[in-house]
Amino acid sequence: MKITFQGGEVHLEGVALVEGAKAPDFTGVKTDLSPWSLKDAGDTVKIISSVPSLDTPVCDVQTKRFNKEAASLPGVTVVTVSLDLPFAQARWCAAANANSHIVLSDYAERDFGKKFGTLIKELKLLTRAVFVLDKNNVVKYVQYVPEITNEPDYESAIKAAKELL
């Protein structure tokens, strides 16, 4: 899989997840500094949106879109993960009125980035990706966006999640 940032190739650390694989549990930090792990979502369908930084235009659009979708997807846990510090994430969430989903920081251990194969070796940021997991955490949809500055395929991810309800 080739991933580029502004046209230049970058390399991802960890193992890329594929459809049909069991998603590994991971732990990150919520905006209130409390820990959160995949198991905390219980037996819900999950949409996990990985972004480089909420402070960039495309990440801002992506996170707002999934926050909006989360409000109309009962039974789906929507999570956005970045390496932004929880303080910055909390500030962004307040400014964007983003309170329909979980915003999670992977800054402490890079646990998500390593386990989901999204940690960009050269930039030490997460790549843009979307994962849809069923109630048993089996990956049913995955998109590692080939060019990090592009938006993901929202419609396909949302459709995949709805089909699992």
Side-chain angles (χ1 to χ4, degrees), residues 5 49-66 80-82 84 92 101 125-129 148-152 154:
F5 176 69
S49 172
S50 172
V51 298
S53 175
L54 297 175
D55 286 326
T56 63
V58 178
C59 298
D60 177 81
V61 168
Q62 179 175 335
T63 306
K64 285 177 180 173
R65 173 70 186 268
F66 280 118
T80 293
V81 185
S82 76
D84 295 305
W92 182 91
H101 79 301
L125 296 171
L126 299 181
T127 195
R128 189 171 317 285
I148 297 169
T149 60
N150 293 339
E151 292 179 56
Y154 303 108

Side-chain angles (χ1 to χ4, degrees), residues 3-82:
I3 302 291
T4 59
F5 176 69
Q6 298 177 337
E9 188 171 2
V10 295
H11 303 89
L12 303 180
E13 295 185 25
V15 178
L17 295 186
V18 295
E19 290 179 17
K22 178 84 169 182
D25 193 21
F26 66 90
T27 300
V29 181
K30 292 175 23 178
T31 58
D32 65 1
L33 300 178
S34 65
W36 188 91
S37 68
L38 185 57
K39 66 182 176 196
D40 292 329
D43 64 350
T44 62
V45 171
K46 295 108 185 143
I47 297 174
I48 302 174
S49 172
S50 172
V51 298
S53 175
L54 297 175
D55 286 326
T56 63
V58 178
C59 298
D60 177 81
V61 168
Q62 179 175 335
T63 306
K64 285 177 180 173
R65 173 70 186 268
F66 280 118
N67 183 70
K68 178 183 171 200
E69 296 294 340
S72 64
L73 290 170
V76 178
T77 299
V78 180
V79 181
T80 293
V81 185
S82 76

Side-chain angles (χ1 to χ4, degrees), residues 29-34 85-91 93 103-105:
V29 181
K30 292 175 23 178
T31 58
D32 65 1
L33 300 178
S34 65
L85 292 176
F87 313 109
Q89 290 178 333
R91 194 170 43 252
C93 287
V103 176
L104 197 65
S105 178

